[in-house]
Amino acid sequence: MRVYIITIFFLIFGLNFVNAQRFGYIDTNYILEKMPDYKKAQDEINQLSVAWEKEIADMDKKIQAMYSALQAEQVLLTDAMRKERTDEIQKKEVELKDYQKKVFGFGGLFFLKKQELTKPIQDKVWDAVDKVAKQKNLHIVFDKAGELTMIYTDPRYDYTDFILDELGLGDPNDEIKN
């Protein structure tokens, strides 16, 4: 979809406009992998996810145990007792589903925590991209890690190392292309 929009954009504004523009690309996945803060945030997110998944699994085990107990004792229970236990199991199942949605659903605790931990890091990257784009007089910067498919990329237009340098994460032994 984006490729079609970009193609239409180029056709509407003509090749002269395109020739006047300066393009570059970066690889945000590579940049984020180099950032210790991002690795730390990912580790924290993974730990929280594992803890929440364990909590949900424990809740599910309790429900399964309640169901097994009901099956084992079903012949000894009156209809009223059986209905009471069935209602209790169903209530626990609803609570489990609600908790799953609260934690892992859209806008849930997992999403909010991930956003809280990664947004400051992403903001640093976007600020560095903005600064490098202005320094290098770039009009458009693509992210090859995004949905936009890049069939071929000339390394001289790769500004990933400049972003890493701006973030203080560049390799001093790398020779940055002009």
Side-chain angles (χ1 to χ4, degrees):
M1 178 76 174
R2 283 187 183 173
V3 173
Y4 297 120
I5 292 171
I6 291 170
T7 303
I8 291 169
F9 177 79
F10 289 150
L11 290 174
I12 290 172
F13 290 102
L15 292 176
N16 289 337
F17 178 76
V18 174
N19 289 335
Q21 302 299 309
R22 288 192 42 132
F23 297 90
Y25 70 90
I26 62 168
D27 184 347
T28 54
N29 286 343
Y30 181 74
I31 292 168
L32 291 172
E33 287 173 10
K34 293 281 192 180
M35 299 181 76
D37 291 347
Y38 185 74
K39 289 178 185 177
K40 183 179 173 186
Q42 287 299 107
D43 288 344
E44 187 173 339
I45 290 166
N46 289 339
Q47 288 174 358
L48 284 170
S49 177
V50 167
W52 279 323
E53 287 172 1
K54 183 184 180 322
E55 194 173 347
I56 288 169
D58 290 346
M59 291 171 74
D60 187 54
K61 282 181 186 175
K62 287 178 184 176
I63 292 169
Q64 294 307 318
M66 290 172 70
Y67 185 73
S68 294
L70 174 64
Q71 291 296 320
E73 299 170 1
Q74 189 166 2
V75 292
L76 304 173
L77 301 174
T78 65
D79 287 340
M81 292 169 74
R82 192 176 309 115
K83 173 146 178 43
E84 182 181 326
R85 288 217 188 151
T86 302
D87 289 347
E88 187 178 342
I89 292 170
Q90 289 173 347
K91 180 182 171 193
K92 293 287 184 188
E93 287 174 335
V94 168
E95 287 174 7
L96 173 60
K97 286 179 184 175
D98 288 345
Y99 186 71
Q100 283 175 314
K101 188 186 294 184
K102 177 184 171 186
V103 172
F104 292 110
F106 180 73
L109 296 173
F110 179 77
F111 173 81
L112 294 173
K113 190 64 174 179
K114 186 174 183 179
Q115 186 177 26
E116 173 192 328
L117 293 173
T118 60
K119 181 155 180 16
I121 297 163
Q122 290 171 337
D123 289 346
K124 278 184 187 178
V125 173
W126 302 148
D127 290 345
V129 169
D130 183 58
K131 190 171 182 179
V132 168
K134 288 175 182 170
Q135 288 172 351
K136 301 295 181 183
N137 198 25
L138 299 174
H139 296 102
I140 298 172
V141 178
F142 294 103
D143 180 6
K144 78 178 199 177
E147 291 180 24
L148 180 64
T149 303
M150 298 173 78
I151 304 298
Y152 169 78
T153 56
D154 188 335
R156 67 182 162 178
Y157 299 113
D158 185 351
Y159 290 86
T160 302
D161 286 335
F162 291 105
I163 304 303
L164 287 171
D165 285 345
E166 185 62 35
L167 291 166
L169 300 169
D171 184 350
N173 298 324
D174 275 352
E175 288 186 29
I176 297 179
K177 301 150 205 78
N178 290 332

